[in-house]
């Protein structure tokens, strides 16, 4: 038999009472589009008082990532919600629901809860993409294009193909 590592010994240790004790936090997955914070508060308030609700959203677009965390007043309420809502069909999606233990609840889970997502206007992005390059950038691009052109002509010449290309006249 092999040598026991810290990892294997830790895996076979009895979990402490604090770790295995269920919390009042429920993980909700496979959330359909259109079922956001407001709708969740209204729907899950039928089970009991909600302390916290956090729908995970994309930093880039602000759209839902499809999962959320909900904290109730008591672990008993959370257990009822997890049991009742697991496998529930909502807007053509089957919800997955699980009650988390204290060990599974991250300290920063509720950080940023209730914060409204602010998008930047599309014009800002379009203007940044479409602005004219600086003189240095334009010069570097032109130099790179000439290098590529010379290599292509050299490759054609090596293949026995004679080819001449007129250079584009610059605008002043």
């Amino acid at each position: 038999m092999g040598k026991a590592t810290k990892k294997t010994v830790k895996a076979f240790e009895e979990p402490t009472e604090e770790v295995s004790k269920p919390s009042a936090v429920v993980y909700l997955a496979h959330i359909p589009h259109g079922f956001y914070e407001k709708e969740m508060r209204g729907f899950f308030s039928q089970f009991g008082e909600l302390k916290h609700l956090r729908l995970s959203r994309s930093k880039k677009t602000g759209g839902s990532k499809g999962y959320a965390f909900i904290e109730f007043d008591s672990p008993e309420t959370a257990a009822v919600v997890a049991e009742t809502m697991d496998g529930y069909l909502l807007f053509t999606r089957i919800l997955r629901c699980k009650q988390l233990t204290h060990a599974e609840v991250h300290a920063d889970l509720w950080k940023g809860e209730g914060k409204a997502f602010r998008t930047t206007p599309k014009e800002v992005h379009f203007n940044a993409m479409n602005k004219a390059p600086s003189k240095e950038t334009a010069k570097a691009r032109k130099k790179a294009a000439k290098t590529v052109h010379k290599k292509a002509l050299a490759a054609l010449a090596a293949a026995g193909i004679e080819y001449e290309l007129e250079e584009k006249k610059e605008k002043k």
Side-chain angles (χ1 to χ4, degrees):
M1 190 158 201
K3 188 176 174 183
T5 63
K6 287 182 183 179
K7 209 176 204 180
T8 56
V9 171
K10 192 174 183 179
F12 288 104
E13 287 178 357
E14 290 295 319
T16 62
E17 197 173 310
E18 182 66 27
V19 171
S20 62
K21 193 169 106 176
S23 69
V25 179
V26 172
Y27 168 74
L28 186 66
H30 300 251
I31 299 171
H33 176 69
F35 193 61
Y36 302 126
E37 288 91 343
K38 183 181 174 185
E39 293 81 11
M40 279 188 205
R41 281 198 189 280
F43 186 80
F44 287 103
S45 63
Q46 69 181 324
F47 294 100
E49 189 68 32
L50 275 68
K51 287 173 79 176
H52 299 283
L53 182 133
R54 171 124 192 236
L55 175 67
S56 293
R57 293 184 169 273
S58 165
K59 288 180 182 179
K60 189 175 183 181
T61 65
S64 170
K65 287 185 175 181
Y67 64 94
F69 297 92
I70 305 168
E71 185 176 19
F72 292 92
D73 275 343
S74 68
E76 293 80 21
T77 307
V80 169
V81 170
E83 186 180 330
T84 307
M85 298 308 296
D86 191 38
Y88 187 82
L89 180 66
L90 183 68
F91 302 132
T92 71
R93 300 291 301 267
I94 296 176
L95 296 179
R96 291 289 157 223
C97 204
K98 175 187 165 193
Q99 185 178 11
L100 302 179
T101 62
H102 284 287
E104 294 172 315
V105 177
H106 193 272
D108 293 335
L109 179 63
W110 308 114
K111 189 177 181 180
E113 172 204 10
K115 210 181 218 184
F117 183 80
R118 284 191 260 167
T119 59
T120 53
K122 288 184 180 178
E123 294 83 32
V124 172
H125 296 293
F126 293 143
N127 291 342
M129 287 189 300
N130 295 332
K131 77 176 186 184
S134 66
K135 287 184 180 181
E136 294 83 24
T137 305
K139 197 174 188 180
R141 286 180 184 171
K142 189 174 181 179
K143 184 178 178 183
K146 281 185 179 181
T147 305
V148 169
H149 178 72
K150 284 180 184 177
K151 284 184 181 179
L153 288 177
L156 287 172
I161 301 170
E162 292 183 28
Y163 186 77
E164 286 187 31
L165 190 68
E166 291 181 25
E167 287 193 32
K168 193 175 181 181
K169 294 181 181 178
E170 292 183 35
K171 294 180 184 178
K172 289 189 180 183

